[in-house]
C-alpha cells in the first residue's frame, strides 16, 4: 500500500492495507483456479470480473479520490489489469468456439 497510495499516504492505515492484501490474495486464488480449469465458463467470467474490479479500483484512486499518483507503483497493476482484460476477452471467443464445436460433436 505504501507504493500505491503515494499521493495521500496519511489516508491509508494498517486495516486498509491488510484488507487490500486479503483482496489481492483472494483475486490471485481465483485467477490460479481459472488457470487450472480454463474451460469453466463461470470461473472464467469471475476471473475476468476481478480484473475489471482491479482496473476500476486503481483508476478511481488516481482520478477520483486522488490517493494514488501515476507512478510505476500504480502503472504496473493498471497495465496488468488492462492487458489481462484484453487477453481474456480474446480468449473468451475461443472458449465459446470450443463450446460450440463440442455441442456439434454431441449431436
Amino acid at each position: 500500500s505504501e507504493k500505491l497510495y503515494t499521493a495521500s499516504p496519511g489516508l491509508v492505515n494498517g486495516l486498509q492495507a491488510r484488507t487490500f492484501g486479503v483482496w489481492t490474495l483472494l483475486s490471485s486464488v481465483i485467477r490460479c483456479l481459472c488457470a487450472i480449469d480454463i474451460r469453466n465458463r463461470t470461473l472464467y467470467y469471475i476471473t475476468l470480473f476481478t480484473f475489471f474490479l482491479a482496473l476500476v479500483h486503481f483508476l478511481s484512486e488516481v482520478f477520483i479520490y486522488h490517493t494514488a499518483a501515476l507512478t510505476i507503483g500504480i502503472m504496473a497493476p493498471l497495465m496488468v489489469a488492462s492487458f489481462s482484460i484484453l487477453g481474456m476477452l480474446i480468449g473468451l471467443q475461443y472458449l465459446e468456439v470450443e463450446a460450440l464445436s463440442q455441442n456439434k460433436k454431441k449431436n
Side-chain angles (χ1 to χ4, degrees):
S1 67
E2 293 173 1
K3 293 184 181 183
L4 292 174
Y5 306 104
T6 56
S8 298
L11 296 177
V12 180
N13 62 31
L15 175 62
Q16 292 165 320
R18 289 188 299 275
T19 303
F20 181 74
V22 170
W23 172 71
T24 302
L25 180 62
L26 177 62
S27 294
S28 65
V29 168
I30 291 170
R31 294 166 187 171
C32 287
L33 290 173
C34 182
I36 292 169
D37 188 11
I38 194 81
R39 290 179 179 88
N40 184 334
R41 294 173 60 84
T42 303
L43 190 54
Y44 196 90
Y45 284 120
I46 291 170
T47 304
L48 182 59
F49 180 71
T50 66
F51 286 114
F52 274 116
L53 192 62
L55 185 66
V56 168
H57 168 73
F58 291 120
L59 287 174
S60 68
E61 293 298 329
V62 172
F63 296 111
I64 296 172
Y65 301 113
H66 305 289
T67 55
L70 283 175
T71 62
I72 190 66
I74 201 79
M75 291 301 293
L78 283 173
M79 288 189 306
V80 168
S82 300
F83 289 130
S84 297
I85 290 168
L86 180 64
M88 289 193 76
L89 289 174
I90 291 169
L92 185 61
Q93 295 173 354
Y94 292 106
L95 193 63
E96 291 174 355
V97 167
E98 184 178 320
L100 289 174
S101 67
Q102 286 180 354
N103 285 340
K104 288 182 182 179
K105 288 179 184 178
K106 289 179 183 178
N107 293 333

